[in-house]
Amino acid sequence: MDIAKGIGIILVVMGHACCPKIPHGIIYSFHMPLFFFLSGLFISKQCKCEFQLYLKKNFRSLLLPYFYFNLISIAFHYSMSVIFHKELLEGSVTDNIVGIFIGMRWGSQYHHVLWFLPCLFFAKMLIYPVFKYVNGGGKWIIGIMFLLIGLSYSKWEIKPLPMSLDASLIAAFFIICGNYYMKTKEIINKLVRRYWQLVLIVALFSIAFNFNKVEMYEMNYGNCLLFLLGSISSILLICSLSANISCDFKICSIIMEYGKLSLIVFAMHYYCLFIPITLKNRLLPNSLLWQDYMYWIASILICLILVLPVSKFINNKAKWLAGK
C-alpha cells in the first residue's frame, strides 16, 4: 500500500509541476481515483467500530488537516504578496477564511489543492452504513448507484457542491472497488500479471480516446465508460506492480517514504513548487516544447527533494497538523 500511495503522490507532484499537456492528460485520468481506491483497502475493518468513533477518527485525520493547511496556505499567500508586492492571494483574507468552511470549488477562495480531503471524508461517511449494514452484492448495487448519480450530476452542467460532495459520490464507488480488491487481491494480481499486456492496452486505449477530459476537481470525466476503464485498469496495473516489486530496491524504499507521508506531502508540495512555477511563468512564458519538458522534470526533482524532509519534520514535530 505504501508503494502504491508513494507512486500516487509522486504523480500528484508531477501533475502540478508545470506539467506539459501529454503527461498531464495521462496522470489526471486516474491519479485521484487511485487514492480513493487505496482508501478502500481497509475500509471494512474501519467500519466495524461505532459511528461516533468512526466520525471522530476521520474528522481528525481528514478535516482537521484540511482546515490547518488551508490556514497555512492563506498565511503563505498573504506573506508572499507582501514580500513580492504582488497580489498573490485572490480575494481578501476574510473571503479566503470563509471559503475554507464553504469549501466551494467556485465563488470563494481557498487552497483548492486540498479539495481531496473533504471529498474523501464525506465519501467515507457515505460508505459507513453500506459496510455496516449491507451484505454481499448489495454493496456493489449501492456503489454503482453512487457512481451513476455522481456522473449524471456532472453531466447536468450544475455547479460543484460544497466540500466536493458531488465528487464524494464517485469517490465512494472507488472505495468499494478498493475493498473488493483487498478481499481478492491474490486472484486479481495473478490475472493482471498474466494478462498485463491486455490491461495496459485497455488503459492506453481508454486514456487516448478520453484524453485531457478528466479532472475530478472541475467535475469533468469526459466519456464515462472510458473514464472508468482507464482509471480502473491503470489502478490495477499500479497495485499489481506495487504488490510484486521487491522492497529491497533503494528506489522502492524511497517511494515508500513518500507513501507513508502522503497526506503531508500532498498538503506541502505546493509550497515546494511555488518558486519553480513562479520562475517558469516569469522567465519562460512562451517556451519551446523541449524547454517545457526540461523545466517540468527539474521542478519535479526540486519538489521531491525539498518536500520529503519538510514532511518528515512535520510528522515528527507537528503531528497534529496531519491529524495524528
Side-chain angles (χ1 to χ4, degrees), residues 26-59:
I26 296 172
I27 291 168
Y28 274 67
S29 64
F30 67 89
H31 77 316
M32 295 317 298
L34 171 64
F35 278 105
F36 296 123
F37 184 94
L38 294 175
S39 298
L41 296 185
F42 302 105
I43 195 71
S44 293
K45 293 181 180 179
Q46 296 173 14
C47 290
K48 288 182 179 179
C49 65
E50 293 300 318
F51 179 72
Q52 185 176 0
L53 179 60
Y54 180 82
L55 174 64
K56 182 178 179 181
K57 285 181 177 179
N58 283 283
F59 182 86

PDB file of all heavy atoms in Angstrom, residues 26-59:
ATOM      1  N   ILE A  26      -2.488  12.096 -19.161  1.00  0.00           N
ATOM      2  CA  ILE A  26      -2.350  10.713 -18.693  1.00  0.00           C
ATOM      3  C   ILE A  26      -2.522  10.631 -17.182  1.00  0.00           C
ATOM      4  O   ILE A  26      -3.292   9.810 -16.668  1.00  0.00           O
ATOM      5  CB  ILE A  26      -0.970  10.151 -19.101  1.00  0.00           C
ATOM      6  CG1 ILE A  26      -0.861  10.070 -20.632  1.00  0.00           C
ATOM      7  CG2 ILE A  26      -0.744   8.771 -18.479  1.00  0.00           C
ATOM      8  CD1 ILE A  26       0.519   9.724 -21.130  1.00  0.00           C
ATOM      9  N   ILE A  27      -1.820  11.494 -16.461  1.00  0.00           N
ATOM     10  CA  ILE A  27      -1.830  11.456 -14.990  1.00  0.00           C
ATOM     11  C   ILE A  27      -3.232  11.721 -14.443  1.00  0.00           C
ATOM     12  O   ILE A  27      -3.718  11.004 -13.560  1.00  0.00           O
ATOM     13  CB  ILE A  27      -0.824  12.474 -14.422  1.00  0.00           C
ATOM     14  CG1 ILE A  27       0.608  12.032 -14.732  1.00  0.00           C
ATOM     15  CG2 ILE A  27      -1.016  12.649 -12.917  1.00  0.00           C
ATOM     16  CD1 ILE A  27       1.645  13.104 -14.470  1.00  0.00           C
ATOM     17  N   TYR A  28      -3.898  12.733 -14.981  1.00  0.00           N
ATOM     18  CA  TYR A  28      -5.197  13.132 -14.430  1.00  0.00           C
ATOM     19  C   TYR A  28      -6.313  12.134 -14.740  1.00  0.00           C
ATOM     20  O   TYR A  28      -7.380  12.203 -14.149  1.00  0.00           O
ATOM     21  CB  TYR A  28      -5.580  14.524 -14.940  1.00  0.00           C
ATOM     22  CG  TYR A  28      -5.004  15.632 -14.100  1.00  0.00           C
ATOM     23  CD1 TYR A  28      -3.630  15.853 -14.060  1.00  0.00           C
ATOM     24  CD2 TYR A  28      -5.819  16.435 -13.319  1.00  0.00           C
ATOM     25  CE1 TYR A  28      -3.087  16.848 -13.278  1.00  0.00           C
ATOM     26  CE2 TYR A  28      -5.290  17.445 -12.527  1.00  0.00           C
ATOM     27  CZ  TYR A  28      -3.919  17.645 -12.509  1.00  0.00           C
ATOM     28  OH  TYR A  28      -3.388  18.635 -11.721  1.00  0.00           O
ATOM     29  N   SER A  29      -6.046  11.212 -15.645  1.00  0.00           N
ATOM     30  CA  SER A  29      -7.071  10.227 -15.990  1.00  0.00           C
ATOM     31  C   SER A  29      -7.307   9.212 -14.888  1.00  0.00           C
ATOM     32  O   SER A  29      -8.336   8.546 -14.858  1.00  0.00           O
ATOM     33  CB  SER A  29      -6.689   9.506 -17.287  1.00  0.00           C
ATOM     34  OG  SER A  29      -5.498   8.764 -17.104  1.00  0.00           O
ATOM     35  N   PHE A  30      -6.355   9.089 -13.929  1.00  0.00           N
ATOM     36  CA  PHE A  30      -6.527   8.053 -12.921  1.00  0.00           C
ATOM     37  C   PHE A  30      -5.911   8.365 -11.550  1.00  0.00           C
ATOM     38  O   PHE A  30      -6.156   7.624 -10.588  1.00  0.00           O
ATOM     39  CB  PHE A  30      -5.907   6.731 -13.410  1.00  0.00           C
ATOM     40  CG  PHE A  30      -4.405   6.762 -13.544  1.00  0.00           C
ATOM     41  CD1 PHE A  30      -3.589   6.427 -12.474  1.00  0.00           C
ATOM     42  CD2 PHE A  30      -3.811   7.121 -14.741  1.00  0.00           C
ATOM     43  CE1 PHE A  30      -2.206   6.459 -12.595  1.00  0.00           C
ATOM     44  CE2 PHE A  30      -2.433   7.151 -14.870  1.00  0.00           C
ATOM     45  CZ  PHE A  30      -1.625   6.815 -13.793  1.00  0.00           C
ATOM     46  N   HIS A  31      -5.111   9.434 -11.392  1.00  0.00           N
ATOM     47  CA  HIS A  31      -4.346   9.560 -10.147  1.00  0.00           C
ATOM     48  C   HIS A  31      -5.214   9.839  -8.915  1.00  0.00           C
ATOM     49  O   HIS A  31      -4.925   9.339  -7.833  1.00  0.00           O
ATOM     50  CB  HIS A  31      -3.221  10.589 -10.291  1.00  0.00           C
ATOM     51  CG  HIS A  31      -3.644  12.024 -10.247  1.00  0.00           C
ATOM     52  ND1 HIS A  31      -4.748  12.510 -10.913  1.00  0.00           N
ATOM     53  CD2 HIS A  31      -3.093  13.090  -9.630  1.00  0.00           C
ATOM     54  CE1 HIS A  31      -4.851  13.809 -10.692  1.00  0.00           C
ATOM     55  NE2 HIS A  31      -3.865  14.186  -9.908  1.00  0.00           N
ATOM     56  N   MET A  32      -6.325  10.586  -9.061  1.00  0.00           N
ATOM     57  CA  MET A  32      -7.193  10.805  -7.897  1.00  0.00           C
ATOM     58  C   MET A  32      -8.064   9.573  -7.605  1.00  0.00           C
ATOM     59  O   MET A  32      -8.210   9.194  -6.437  1.00  0.00           O
ATOM     60  CB  MET A  32      -8.053  12.053  -8.094  1.00  0.00           C
ATOM     61  CG  MET A  32      -7.265  13.350  -8.166  1.00  0.00           C
ATOM     62  SD  MET A  32      -5.929  13.503  -6.962  1.00  0.00           S
ATOM     63  CE  MET A  32      -6.797  13.451  -5.413  1.00  0.00           C
ATOM     64  N   PRO A  33      -8.651   8.903  -8.609  1.00  0.00           N
ATOM     65  CA  PRO A  33      -9.327   7.640  -8.317  1.00  0.00           C
ATOM     66  C   PRO A  33      -8.421   6.630  -7.613  1.00  0.00           C
ATOM     67  O   PRO A  33      -8.896   5.847  -6.789  1.00  0.00           O
ATOM     68  CB  PRO A  33      -9.737   7.142  -9.717  1.00  0.00           C
ATOM     69  CG  PRO A  33      -9.963   8.394 -10.493  1.00  0.00           C
ATOM     70  CD  PRO A  33      -8.891   9.333 -10.020  1.00  0.00           C
ATOM     71  N   LEU A  34      -7.127   6.650  -7.933  1.00  0.00           N
ATOM     72  CA  LEU A  34      -6.186   5.743  -7.265  1.00  0.00           C
ATOM     73  C   LEU A  34      -6.198   5.950  -5.757  1.00  0.00           C
ATOM     74  O   LEU A  34      -6.229   4.974  -4.989  1.00  0.00           O
ATOM     75  CB  LEU A  34      -4.769   5.975  -7.811  1.00  0.00           C
ATOM     76  CG  LEU A  34      -3.626   5.265  -7.059  1.00  0.00           C
ATOM     77  CD1 LEU A  34      -3.765   3.747  -7.148  1.00  0.00           C
ATOM     78  CD2 LEU A  34      -2.268   5.723  -7.612  1.00  0.00           C
ATOM     79  N   PHE A  35      -6.198   7.193  -5.292  1.00  0.00           N
ATOM     80  CA  PHE A  35      -6.184   7.457  -3.851  1.00  0.00           C
ATOM     81  C   PHE A  35      -7.490   7.018  -3.189  1.00  0.00           C
ATOM     82  O   PHE A  35      -7.472   6.499  -2.067  1.00  0.00           O
ATOM     83  CB  PHE A  35      -5.931   8.941  -3.585  1.00  0.00           C
ATOM     84  CG  PHE A  35      -4.481   9.317  -3.648  1.00  0.00           C
ATOM     85  CD1 PHE A  35      -3.993  10.007  -4.741  1.00  0.00           C
ATOM     86  CD2 PHE A  35      -3.602   8.976  -2.640  1.00  0.00           C
ATOM     87  CE1 PHE A  35      -2.648  10.347  -4.815  1.00  0.00           C
ATOM     88  CE2 PHE A  35      -2.270   9.312  -2.691  1.00  0.00           C
ATOM     89  CZ  PHE A  35      -1.782  10.004  -3.789  1.00  0.00           C
ATOM     90  N   PHE A  36      -8.610   7.218  -3.860  1.00  0.00           N
ATOM     91  CA  PHE A  36      -9.881   6.761  -3.295  1.00  0.00           C
ATOM     92  C   PHE A  36      -9.910   5.234  -3.244  1.00  0.00           C
ATOM     93  O   PHE A  36     -10.386   4.649  -2.270  1.00  0.00           O
ATOM     94  CB  PHE A  36     -11.053   7.295  -4.126  1.00  0.00           C
ATOM     95  CG  PHE A  36     -11.168   8.789  -4.101  1.00  0.00           C
ATOM     96  CD1 PHE A  36     -11.145   9.534  -5.278  1.00  0.00           C
ATOM     97  CD2 PHE A  36     -11.309   9.469  -2.901  1.00  0.00           C
ATOM     98  CE1 PHE A  36     -11.254  10.910  -5.258  1.00  0.00           C
ATOM     99  CE2 PHE A  36     -11.413  10.858  -2.868  1.00  0.00           C
ATOM    100  CZ  PHE A  36     -11.381  11.571  -4.055  1.00  0.00           C
ATOM    101  N   PHE A  37      -9.402   4.605  -4.279  1.00  0.00           N
ATOM    102  CA  PHE A  37      -9.306   3.140  -4.345  1.00  0.00           C
ATOM    103  C   PHE A  37      -8.470   2.615  -3.170  1.00  0.00           C
ATOM    104  O   PHE A  37      -8.880   1.686  -2.464  1.00  0.00           O
ATOM    105  CB  PHE A  37      -8.663   2.754  -5.673  1.00  0.00           C
ATOM    106  CG  PHE A  37      -8.582   1.272  -5.926  1.00  0.00           C
ATOM    107  CD1 PHE A  37      -9.572   0.620  -6.645  1.00  0.00           C
ATOM    108  CD2 PHE A  37      -7.494   0.528  -5.474  1.00  0.00           C
ATOM    109  CE1 PHE A  37      -9.492  -0.745  -6.903  1.00  0.00           C
ATOM    110  CE2 PHE A  37      -7.403  -0.828  -5.726  1.00  0.00           C
ATOM    111  CZ  PHE A  37      -8.399  -1.475  -6.438  1.00  0.00           C
ATOM    112  N   LEU A  38      -7.319   3.221  -2.926  1.00  0.00           N
ATOM    113  CA  LEU A  38      -6.443   2.780  -1.835  1.00  0.00           C
ATOM    114  C   LEU A  38      -7.081   3.024  -0.468  1.00  0.00           C
ATOM    115  O   LEU A  38      -6.817   2.289   0.481  1.00  0.00           O
ATOM    116  CB  LEU A  38      -5.098   3.502  -1.927  1.00  0.00           C
ATOM    117  CG  LEU A  38      -4.243   3.176  -3.166  1.00  0.00           C
ATOM    118  CD1 LEU A  38      -2.992   4.043  -3.193  1.00  0.00           C
ATOM    119  CD2 LEU A  38      -3.874   1.701  -3.193  1.00  0.00           C
ATOM    120  N   SER A  39      -7.931   4.041  -0.384  1.00  0.00           N
ATOM    121  CA  SER A  39      -8.628   4.320   0.882  1.00  0.00           C
ATOM    122  C   SER A  39      -9.628   3.226   1.226  1.00  0.00           C
ATOM    123  O   SER A  39     -10.046   3.113   2.380  1.00  0.00           O
ATOM    124  CB  SER A  39      -9.359   5.665   0.801  1.00  0.00           C
ATOM    125  OG  SER A  39      -8.450   6.725   0.595  1.00  0.00           O
ATOM    126  N   GLY A  40     -10.007   2.436   0.225  1.00  0.00           N
ATOM    127  CA  GLY A  40     -10.972   1.367   0.468  1.00  0.00           C
ATOM    128  C   GLY A  40     -10.355   0.049   0.871  1.00  0.00           C
ATOM    129  O   GLY A  40     -11.086  -0.890   1.220  1.00  0.00           O
ATOM    130  N   LEU A  41      -9.027  -0.052   0.869  1.00  0.00           N
ATOM    131  CA  LEU A  41      -8.387  -1.339   1.157  1.00  0.00           C
ATOM    132  C   LEU A  41      -8.735  -1.862   2.549  1.00  0.00           C
ATOM    133  O   LEU A  41      -8.942  -3.062   2.738  1.00  0.00           O
ATOM    134  CB  LEU A  41      -6.861  -1.216   1.005  1.00  0.00           C
ATOM    135  CG  LEU A  41      -6.339  -0.885  -0.405  1.00  0.00           C
ATOM    136  CD1 LEU A  41      -4.816  -0.927  -0.416  1.00  0.00           C
ATOM    137  CD2 LEU A  41      -6.900  -1.835  -1.457  1.00  0.00           C
ATOM    138  N   PHE A  42      -8.813  -0.971   3.522  1.00  0.00           N
ATOM    139  CA  PHE A  42      -9.070  -1.400   4.901  1.00  0.00           C
ATOM    140  C   PHE A  42     -10.376  -0.830   5.450  1.00  0.00           C
ATOM    141  O   PHE A  42     -10.562  -0.748   6.658  1.00  0.00           O
ATOM    142  CB  PHE A  42      -7.896  -0.987   5.803  1.00  0.00           C
ATOM    143  CG  PHE A  42      -6.584  -1.556   5.365  1.00  0.00           C
ATOM    144  CD1 PHE A  42      -5.649  -0.757   4.726  1.00  0.00           C
ATOM    145  CD2 PHE A  42      -6.279  -2.894   5.570  1.00  0.00           C
ATOM    146  CE1 PHE A  42      -4.427  -1.280   4.309  1.00  0.00           C
ATOM    147  CE2 PHE A  42      -5.069  -3.427   5.165  1.00  0.00           C
ATOM    148  CZ  PHE A  42      -4.138  -2.613   4.522  1.00  0.00           C
ATOM    149  N   ILE A  43     -11.262  -0.431   4.541  1.00  0.00           N
ATOM    150  CA  ILE A  43     -12.500   0.229   4.977  1.00  0.00           C
ATOM    151  C   ILE A  43     -13.412  -0.717   5.757  1.00  0.00           C
ATOM    152  O   ILE A  43     -14.128  -0.282   6.663  1.00  0.00           O
ATOM    153  CB  ILE A  43     -13.247   0.818   3.750  1.00  0.00           C
ATOM    154  CG1 ILE A  43     -14.332   1.807   4.195  1.00  0.00           C
ATOM    155  CG2 ILE A  43     -13.840  -0.281   2.877  1.00  0.00           C
ATOM    156  CD1 ILE A  43     -13.784   3.081   4.744  1.00  0.00           C
ATOM    157  N   SER A  44     -13.382  -2.004   5.445  1.00  0.00           N
ATOM    158  CA  SER A  44     -14.246  -2.961   6.160  1.00  0.00           C
ATOM    159  C   SER A  44     -13.927  -2.972   7.646  1.00  0.00           C
ATOM    160  O   SER A  44     -14.832  -2.953   8.494  1.00  0.00           O
ATOM    161  CB  SER A  44     -14.076  -4.369   5.575  1.00  0.00           C
ATOM    162  OG  SER A  44     -14.569  -4.424   4.264  1.00  0.00           O
ATOM    163  N   LYS A  45     -12.653  -3.005   7.986  1.00  0.00           N
ATOM    164  CA  LYS A  45     -12.236  -3.014   9.391  1.00  0.00           C
ATOM    165  C   LYS A  45     -12.586  -1.697  10.065  1.00  0.00           C
ATOM    166  O   LYS A  45     -13.015  -1.678  11.214  1.00  0.00           O
ATOM    167  CB  LYS A  45     -10.731  -3.270   9.490  1.00  0.00           C
ATOM    168  CG  LYS A  45     -10.299  -4.663   9.050  1.00  0.00           C
ATOM    169  CD  LYS A  45      -8.795  -4.839   9.195  1.00  0.00           C
ATOM    170  CE  LYS A  45      -8.370  -6.239   8.757  1.00  0.00           C
ATOM    171  NZ  LYS A  45      -6.889  -6.424   8.868  1.00  0.00           N
ATOM    172  N   GLN A  46     -12.398  -0.594   9.337  1.00  0.00           N
ATOM    173  CA  GLN A  46     -12.678   0.716   9.910  1.00  0.00           C
ATOM    174  C   GLN A  46     -14.160   0.883  10.247  1.00  0.00           C
ATOM    175  O   GLN A  46     -14.516   1.528  11.229  1.00  0.00           O
ATOM    176  CB  GLN A  46     -12.233   1.813   8.942  1.00  0.00           C
ATOM    177  CG  GLN A  46     -10.741   1.852   8.690  1.00  0.00           C
ATOM    178  CD  GLN A  46     -10.362   2.831   7.595  1.00  0.00           C
ATOM    179  OE1 GLN A  46     -11.156   3.675   7.177  1.00  0.00           O
ATOM    180  NE2 GLN A  46      -9.133   2.731   7.106  1.00  0.00           N
ATOM    181  N   CYS A  47     -15.019   0.301   9.431  1.00  0.00           N
ATOM    182  CA  CYS A  47     -16.471   0.472   9.613  1.00  0.00           C
ATOM    183  C   CYS A  47     -17.047  -0.458  10.682  1.00  0.00           C
ATOM    184  O   CYS A  47     -18.257  -0.410  10.946  1.00  0.00           O
ATOM    185  CB  CYS A  47     -17.203   0.252   8.290  1.00  0.00           C
ATOM    186  SG  CYS A  47     -16.915   1.555   7.078  1.00  0.00           S
ATOM    187  N   LYS A  48     -16.240  -1.293  11.290  1.00  0.00           N
ATOM    188  CA  LYS A  48     -16.722  -2.180  12.344  1.00  0.00           C
ATOM    189  C   LYS A  48     -16.940  -1.455  13.665  1.00  0.00           C
ATOM    190  O   LYS A  48     -17.678  -1.936  14.529  1.00  0.00           O
ATOM    191  CB  LYS A  48     -15.747  -3.341  12.534  1.00  0.00           C
ATOM    192  CG  LYS A  48     -15.764  -4.352  11.390  1.00  0.00           C
ATOM    193  CD  LYS A  48     -14.806  -5.503  11.648  1.00  0.00           C
ATOM    194  CE  LYS A  48     -14.856  -6.515  10.502  1.00  0.00           C
ATOM    195  NZ  LYS A  48     -13.908  -7.646  10.713  1.00  0.00           N
ATOM    196  N   CYS A  49     -16.284  -0.298  13.831  1.00  0.00           N
ATOM    197  CA  CYS A  49     -16.443   0.451  15.077  1.00  0.00           C
ATOM    198  C   CYS A  49     -17.748   1.251  15.045  1.00  0.00           C
ATOM    199  O   CYS A  49     -18.414   1.358  14.019  1.00  0.00           O
ATOM    200  CB  CYS A  49     -15.250   1.374  15.300  1.00  0.00           C
ATOM    201  SG  CYS A  49     -15.095   2.685  14.066  1.00  0.00           S
ATOM    202  N   GLU A  50     -18.115   1.812  16.184  1.00  0.00           N
ATOM    203  CA  GLU A  50     -19.318   2.635  16.273  1.00  0.00           C
ATOM    204  C   GLU A  50     -19.153   3.916  15.467  1.00  0.00           C
ATOM    205  O   GLU A  50     -18.035   4.428  15.315  1.00  0.00           O
ATOM    206  CB  GLU A  50     -19.623   2.975  17.728  1.00  0.00           C
ATOM    207  CG  GLU A  50     -20.014   1.770  18.564  1.00  0.00           C
ATOM    208  CD  GLU A  50     -21.261   1.078  18.029  1.00  0.00           C
ATOM    209  OE1 GLU A  50     -22.214   1.803  17.640  1.00  0.00           O
ATOM    210  OE2 GLU A  50     -21.285  -0.154  17.999  1.00  0.00           O
ATOM    211  N   PHE A  51     -20.273   4.435  14.961  1.00  0.00           N
ATOM    212  CA  PHE A  51     -20.209   5.587  14.066  1.00  0.00           C
ATOM    213  C   PHE A  51     -19.560   6.791  14.740  1.00  0.00           C
ATOM    214  O   PHE A  51     -18.802   7.530  14.100  1.00  0.00           O
ATOM    215  CB  PHE A  51     -21.607   5.971  13.584  1.00  0.00           C
ATOM    216  CG  PHE A  51     -21.596   7.167  12.668  1.00  0.00           C
ATOM    217  CD1 PHE A  51     -21.103   7.060  11.365  1.00  0.00           C
ATOM    218  CD2 PHE A  51     -22.051   8.400  13.100  1.00  0.00           C
ATOM    219  CE1 PHE A  51     -21.078   8.154  10.514  1.00  0.00           C
ATOM    220  CE2 PHE A  51     -22.028   9.502  12.254  1.00  0.00           C
ATOM    221  CZ  PHE A  51     -21.546   9.375  10.965  1.00  0.00           C
ATOM    222  N   GLN A  52     -19.824   6.999  16.018  1.00  0.00           N
ATOM    223  CA  GLN A  52     -19.260   8.154  16.715  1.00  0.00           C
ATOM    224  C   GLN A  52     -17.734   8.116  16.684  1.00  0.00           C
ATOM    225  O   GLN A  52     -17.077   9.133  16.429  1.00  0.00           O
ATOM    226  CB  GLN A  52     -19.756   8.192  18.168  1.00  0.00           C
ATOM    227  CG  GLN A  52     -19.307   9.435  18.927  1.00  0.00           C
ATOM    228  CD  GLN A  52     -19.894   9.486  20.330  1.00  0.00           C
ATOM    229  OE1 GLN A  52     -20.636   8.612  20.747  1.00  0.00           O
ATOM    230  NE2 GLN A  52     -19.549  10.536  21.067  1.00  0.00           N
ATOM    231  N   LEU A  53     -17.161   6.945  16.931  1.00  0.00           N
ATOM    232  CA  LEU A  53     -15.706   6.792  16.905  1.00  0.00           C
ATOM    233  C   LEU A  53     -15.183   6.923  15.475  1.00  0.00           C
ATOM    234  O   LEU A  53     -14.140   7.544  15.233  1.00  0.00           O
ATOM    235  CB  LEU A  53     -15.319   5.436  17.492  1.00  0.00           C
ATOM    236  CG  LEU A  53     -13.820   5.107  17.525  1.00  0.00           C
ATOM    237  CD1 LEU A  53     -13.055   6.140  18.350  1.00  0.00           C
ATOM    238  CD2 LEU A  53     -13.590   3.700  18.084  1.00  0.00           C
ATOM    239  N   TYR A  54     -15.902   6.339  14.519  1.00  0.00           N
ATOM    240  CA  TYR A  54     -15.541   6.414  13.103  1.00  0.00           C
ATOM    241  C   TYR A  54     -15.523   7.868  12.632  1.00  0.00           C
ATOM    242  O   TYR A  54     -14.588   8.309  11.947  1.00  0.00           O
ATOM    243  CB  TYR A  54     -16.550   5.594  12.306  1.00  0.00           C
ATOM    244  CG  TYR A  54     -16.348   5.558  10.815  1.00  0.00           C
ATOM    245  CD1 TYR A  54     -15.426   4.687  10.234  1.00  0.00           C
ATOM    246  CD2 TYR A  54     -17.104   6.373   9.967  1.00  0.00           C
ATOM    247  CE1 TYR A  54     -15.263   4.638   8.848  1.00  0.00           C
ATOM    248  CE2 TYR A  54     -16.948   6.325   8.591  1.00  0.00           C
ATOM    249  CZ  TYR A  54     -16.025   5.453   8.036  1.00  0.00           C
ATOM    250  OH  TYR A  54     -15.870   5.406   6.672  1.00  0.00           O
ATOM    251  N   LEU A  55     -16.551   8.618  13.002  1.00  0.00           N
ATOM    252  CA  LEU A  55     -16.655  10.027  12.651  1.00  0.00           C
ATOM    253  C   LEU A  55     -15.501  10.820  13.263  1.00  0.00           C
ATOM    254  O   LEU A  55     -14.868  11.642  12.584  1.00  0.00           O
ATOM    255  CB  LEU A  55     -17.990  10.586  13.132  1.00  0.00           C
ATOM    256  CG  LEU A  55     -18.209  12.094  12.976  1.00  0.00           C
ATOM    257  CD1 LEU A  55     -18.213  12.484  11.502  1.00  0.00           C
ATOM    258  CD2 LEU A  55     -19.515  12.527  13.643  1.00  0.00           C
ATOM    259  N   LYS A  56     -15.214  10.558  14.525  1.00  0.00           N
ATOM    260  CA  LYS A  56     -14.159  11.278  15.226  1.00  0.00           C
ATOM    261  C   LYS A  56     -12.795  11.029  14.587  1.00  0.00           C
ATOM    262  O   LYS A  56     -12.013  11.959  14.373  1.00  0.00           O
ATOM    263  CB  LYS A  56     -14.135  10.845  16.696  1.00  0.00           C
ATOM    264  CG  LYS A  56     -13.100  11.575  17.535  1.00  0.00           C
ATOM    265  CD  LYS A  56     -13.168  11.123  18.989  1.00  0.00           C
ATOM    266  CE  LYS A  56     -12.105  11.830  19.831  1.00  0.00           C
ATOM    267  NZ  LYS A  56     -12.167  11.364  21.258  1.00  0.00           N
ATOM    268  N   LYS A  57     -12.513   9.766  14.258  1.00  0.00           N
ATOM    269  CA  LYS A  57     -11.218   9.423  13.656  1.00  0.00           C
ATOM    270  C   LYS A  57     -11.039  10.098  12.304  1.00  0.00           C
ATOM    271  O   LYS A  57      -9.970  10.641  12.000  1.00  0.00           O
ATOM    272  CB  LYS A  57     -11.108   7.899  13.496  1.00  0.00           C
ATOM    273  CG  LYS A  57     -10.849   7.154  14.795  1.00  0.00           C
ATOM    274  CD  LYS A  57     -10.723   5.656  14.525  1.00  0.00           C
ATOM    275  CE  LYS A  57     -10.399   4.896  15.801  1.00  0.00           C
ATOM    276  NZ  LYS A  57     -10.289   3.431  15.564  1.00  0.00           N
ATOM    277  N   ASN A  58     -12.082  10.061  11.477  1.00  0.00           N
ATOM    278  CA  ASN A  58     -11.973  10.636  10.141  1.00  0.00           C
ATOM    279  C   ASN A  58     -11.994  12.160  10.162  1.00  0.00           C
ATOM    280  O   ASN A  58     -11.333  12.800   9.329  1.00  0.00           O
ATOM    281  CB  ASN A  58     -13.093  10.098   9.249  1.00  0.00           C
ATOM    282  CG  ASN A  58     -12.831   8.696   8.778  1.00  0.00           C
ATOM    283  OD1 ASN A  58     -12.040   8.461   7.876  1.00  0.00           O
ATOM    284  ND2 ASN A  58     -13.489   7.723   9.400  1.00  0.00           N
ATOM    285  N   PHE A  59     -12.719  12.744  11.096  1.00  0.00           N
ATOM    286  CA  PHE A  59     -12.700  14.194  11.251  1.00  0.00           C
ATOM    287  C   PHE A  59     -11.288  14.649  11.617  1.00  0.00           C
ATOM    288  O   PHE A  59     -10.770  15.626  11.062  1.00  0.00           O
ATOM    289  CB  PHE A  59     -13.685  14.633  12.330  1.00  0.00           C
ATOM    290  CG  PHE A  59     -13.755  16.125  12.518  1.00  0.00           C
ATOM    291  CD1 PHE A  59     -14.596  16.887  11.731  1.00  0.00           C
ATOM    292  CD2 PHE A  59     -12.962  16.758  13.473  1.00  0.00           C
ATOM    293  CE1 PHE A  59     -14.655  18.279  11.890  1.00  0.00           C
ATOM    294  CE2 PHE A  59     -13.014  18.139  13.631  1.00  0.00           C
ATOM    295  CZ  PHE A  59     -13.860  18.895  12.844  1.00  0.00           C
TER     296      PHE A  59
END
